[in-house]
């Protein structure tokens, strides 16, 4: 029994020693594993953290990337333009003026819709109507005088013809007497004196006939001249009557366009003078956009340039049709007209925005426009590479509302900061944090 107890004790001691060795070995393995893990982590940290630390150490200051706007340099077509706010004005808004002095009667009120040719006002002018009646009477008198001269001319022509006929008869008789005298003279039946007298009578008859014919011709020409003068007087008088008739007809004033009545410059039954403005009619089918453009764009403005008008989120094509010759408060007044479709819901003096396309350049290296132009004066930009923004000298060309041309200093697909860089304080390198 004692021997058996000793063997069991010896076996337990061996088992305890073996367990202790195993536990010691396990503890040593864990220590090496922990140490290896720590060394591995330190190695990985040095690989990834050190470059960031190196970049951070080289930067003069750090800025959060979320506060910045970035843009990629690319190639494309740069459209140089100018954007401006303007208002809708009626391209056709004729003002009606009083054709004569008198009393006006308004048929419409401000805001009324009118059609082309519709009566909108009448001016009562007794003086003008009386003048028309006087000129009509003068025309009738001139026509009567012309008829009297025609009768007188016919009578004179008849008298002249009678004188010519009598002169011709006397000439024929004188020639007959001359032939009788010649026959008698040949037979010495009459004296030389009677023969010469027959010759003189023929000569006298020929002169009378000739002078009568010429006198009749001159009187006919004179009468024709007087008739022509009378006809011209009638024509002149007819022109006066026609003009006064037109003026009297225009006393009933009609709308020159289809639209609405705008401003009423007078009240109903007011006394007006000639050429006094009365009513303005606005054509709602023809609108223009009046834009105020900064005067620094004046050198690029030309009539005929294309434009884009923005209304209710839709772009409508237009064309520059008018440029003011003067500058007021550093602004130039221009007018843009719709070239195709005109929005149906436009209203007078409604505010809209538009841009005038000054120039188009193809295959241009460009970047989006931003405040960096003002903060850097267009002389430099911050080029972004990884987490660093480095100051890069650049040279810019033309600018548009959305883009700016890059002449040198940057390449395609490079990324720059286009937001305000004043807070960089002219640093050469800036670290961008996430």
């Amino acid at each position: 029994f004692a021997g058996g107890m000793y063997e069991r004790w010896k076996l337990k001691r061996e088992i305890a020693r073996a367990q202790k060795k195993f536990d010691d070995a396990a503890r040593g393995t864990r220590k090496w594993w922990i140490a290896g893990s720590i060394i591995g982590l330190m190695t990985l940290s040095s690989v990834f953290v050190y470059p960031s630390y190196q970049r951070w150490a080289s930067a003069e200051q750090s800025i959060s990337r979320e506060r910045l706007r970035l843009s990629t340099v690319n190639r494309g077509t740069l459209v140089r333009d100018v954007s401006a706010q303007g208002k809708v004005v009626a391209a056709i808004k004729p003002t009606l003026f009083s054709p004569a002095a008198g009393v006006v009667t308004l048929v419409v009120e401000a805001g009324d819709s009118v059609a082309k040719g519709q009566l909108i006002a009448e001016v009562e002018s007794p003086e003008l109507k009386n003048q028309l009646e006087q000129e009509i009477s003068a025309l009738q008198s001139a026509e009567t005088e012309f008829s009297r001269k025609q009768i007188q001319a016919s009578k004179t022509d008849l008298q002249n013809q009678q004188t010519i006929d009598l002169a011709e008869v006397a000439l024929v008789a004188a020639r007959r007497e001359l032939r009788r005298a010649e026959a008698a003279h040949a037979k010495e039946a009459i004296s030389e004196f009677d023969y010469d007298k027959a010759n003189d009578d023929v000569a006298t008859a020929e002169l009378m006939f000739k002078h009568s014919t010429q006198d009749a011709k001159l009187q006919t020409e004179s009468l024709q001249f007087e008739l022509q003068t009378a006809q011209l007087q009638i024509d002149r008088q007819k022109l006066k009557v026609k003009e006064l008739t037109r003026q009297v007809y225009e006393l009933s004033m009609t709308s020159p366009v289809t639209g609405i009545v705008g401003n009423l410059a007078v009240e109903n039954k007011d006394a007006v003078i000639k050429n006094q403005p009365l009513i303005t009619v606005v054509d709602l089918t023809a609108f223009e956009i009046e834009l105020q453009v900064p005067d620094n764009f004046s050198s690029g403005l030309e009539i005929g340039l294309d434009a884009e008008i923005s209304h209710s989120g839709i772009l409508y094509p237009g064309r520059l049709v008018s440029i003011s010759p003067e500058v007021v408060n550093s602004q130039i007044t221009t007018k843009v007209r719709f070239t195709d479709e005109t929005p149906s819901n436009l209203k007078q003096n409604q505010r809209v925005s538009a841009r005038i396309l000054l120039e188009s350049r193809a295959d241009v290296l460009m970047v989006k426009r931003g405040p960096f132009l003002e903060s850097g004066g267009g002389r430099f930009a911050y080029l972004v590479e990884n987490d660093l923004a480095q100051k890069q000298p650049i040279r810019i060309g033309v600018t548009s509302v959305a883009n700016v041309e890059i002449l040198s200093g940057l390449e395609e697909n490079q990324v720059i900061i286009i937001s305000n860089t004043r807070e960089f304080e002219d640093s050469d390198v800036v670290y961008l944090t996430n």
Side-chain angles (χ1 to χ4, degrees):
F1 177 76
M5 291 293 290
Y6 176 75
E7 290 295 333
R8 285 195 296 274
W9 174 79
K10 186 177 179 180
L11 180 60
K12 289 181 179 180
R13 188 176 62 178
E14 292 296 331
I15 292 171
R17 289 177 178 176
Q19 183 68 36
K20 182 178 180 183
K21 289 180 179 181
F22 178 78
D23 293 340
D24 291 341
R27 283 194 296 271
T29 301
R30 285 196 298 272
K31 290 179 180 179
W32 282 107
W33 184 82
I34 293 172
S37 299
I38 293 173
I39 292 173
L41 290 174
M42 292 179 64
T43 301
L44 291 175
S45 298
S46 64
V47 170
F48 292 100
V49 175
Y50 180 74
S52 298
Y53 170 76
Q54 188 178 23
R55 291 194 296 269
W56 176 81
S58 64
E60 301 179 27
Q61 59 175 313
S62 61
I63 300 293
S64 174
R65 187 187 292 265
E66 295 179 353
R67 297 168 52 189
L68 304 175
R69 288 175 55 205
L70 307 180
S71 178
T72 302
V73 180
N74 55 35
R75 285 193 175 273
T77 301
L78 185 144
V79 179
R80 181 169 170 257
D81 53 10
V82 54
S83 182
Q85 294 292 322
K87 63 180 180 179
V88 178
V89 296
I92 302 176
K93 49 179 180 179
T95 299
L96 278 67
F97 296 84
S98 174
V103 177
V104 63
T105 301
L106 300 179
V107 183
V108 295
E109 297 181 356
D112 288 351
S113 297
V114 293
K116 184 177 181 180
Q118 178 180 339
L119 180 66
I120 58 177
E122 290 183 309
V123 176
E124 183 64 28
S125 178
E127 180 182 357
L128 184 61
K129 292 181 178 180
N130 182 57
Q131 187 178 356
L132 173 60
E133 293 175 357
Q134 291 179 8
E135 295 299 336
I136 291 176
S137 177
L139 175 60
Q140 293 173 348
S141 176
E143 290 175 343
T144 302
E145 179 65 17
F146 179 77
S147 298
R148 186 190 66 78
K149 287 185 178 182
Q150 281 183 320
I151 296 174
Q152 183 64 34
S154 299
K155 182 178 179 181
T156 303
D157 286 340
L158 181 61
Q159 292 175 351
N160 290 333
Q161 188 63 41
Q162 182 181 5
T163 303
I164 293 173
D165 293 341
L166 292 175
E168 186 177 6
V169 170
L171 177 61
V172 170
R175 286 174 178 174
R176 184 172 59 250
E177 289 297 325
L178 176 62
R179 288 193 300 270
R180 185 179 297 118
E182 288 176 347
H185 183 266
K187 296 177 180 182
E188 297 181 355
I190 61 173
S191 64
E192 191 70 27
F193 176 79
D194 291 334
Y195 176 73
D196 291 338
K197 183 178 182 300
N199 283 312
D200 293 339
D201 290 341
V202 170
T204 302
E206 288 178 347
L207 287 175
M208 291 296 294
F209 178 77
K210 179 180 178 181
H211 290 166
S212 298
T213 304
Q214 292 177 347
D215 185 61
K217 183 179 179 181
L218 290 174
Q219 288 193 29
T220 300
E221 291 178 354
S222 177
L223 290 173
Q224 290 296 329
F225 178 77
E226 291 182 3
L227 288 174
Q228 184 179 3
T229 303
Q231 183 62 51
L232 291 175
Q233 185 177 359
I234 291 175
D235 294 340
R236 182 169 60 252
Q237 194 62 34
K238 285 182 178 179
L239 291 176
K240 290 182 179 181
V241 172
K242 182 179 179 181
E243 173 62 19
L244 288 172
T245 303
R246 181 191 65 81
Q247 294 181 19
V248 171
Y249 175 78
E250 289 183 351
L251 293 177
S252 298
M253 307 172 66
T254 59
S255 176
V257 296
T258 298
I260 63 172
V261 177
N263 298 327
L264 297 178
V266 295
E267 297 292 336
N268 192 29
K269 299 300 181 181
D270 275 357
V272 295
I273 61 175
K274 187 176 181 179
N275 296 327
Q276 179 177 344
L278 304 179
I279 302 175
T280 299
V281 182
V282 179
D283 187 354
L284 298 180
T285 62
F287 283 110
E288 292 177 343
I289 308 301
E290 186 178 276
L291 301 174
Q292 301 297 327
V293 178
D295 60 348
N296 57 321
F297 291 97
S298 60
S299 59
L301 293 177
E302 294 180 0
I303 293 178
L305 290 175
D306 293 332
E308 289 182 350
I309 304 165
S310 177
H311 176 67
S312 299
I314 302 176
L315 294 179
Y316 295 89
R319 182 166 298 165
L320 185 63
V321 296
S322 173
I323 303 174
S324 174
E326 61 178 348
V327 178
V328 179
N329 297 327
S330 301
Q331 301 285 326
I332 300 176
T333 301
T334 62
K335 287 186 178 180
V336 173
R337 184 175 300 166
F338 293 94
T339 55
D340 294 331
E341 180 186 2
T342 302
S344 59
N345 55 346
L346 285 180
K347 295 180 176 60
Q348 180 88 345
N349 295 322
Q350 183 178 356
R351 303 296 296 181
V352 295
S353 61
R355 69 186 187 114
I356 302 173
L357 309 180
L358 303 178
E359 183 183 6
S360 179
R361 295 191 178 188
D363 194 26
V364 171
L365 192 67
M366 59 184 180
V367 71
K368 288 184 178 179
R369 184 172 179 174
F372 80 100
L373 289 176
E374 288 73 21
S375 57
R379 295 178 291 105
F380 63 85
Y382 281 88
L383 178 62
V384 177
E385 295 181 352
N386 297 324
D387 295 333
L388 292 182
Q390 297 183 354
K391 188 177 181 181
Q392 178 76 16
I394 64 171
R395 190 162 63 93
I396 65 173
V398 299
T399 60
S400 68
V401 175
N403 300 290
V404 56
E405 180 184 13
I406 303 298
L407 299 178
S408 63
L410 296 174
E411 297 179 356
E412 190 175 359
N413 296 324
Q414 289 184 328
V415 179
I416 66 170
I417 297 173
I418 62 172
S419 55
N420 196 332
T421 58
R422 294 186 187 278
E423 58 181 327
F424 293 1
E425 298 178 354
D426 209 24
S427 300
D428 292 330
V429 181
V430 177
Y431 181 71
L432 306 180
T433 62
N434 295 318

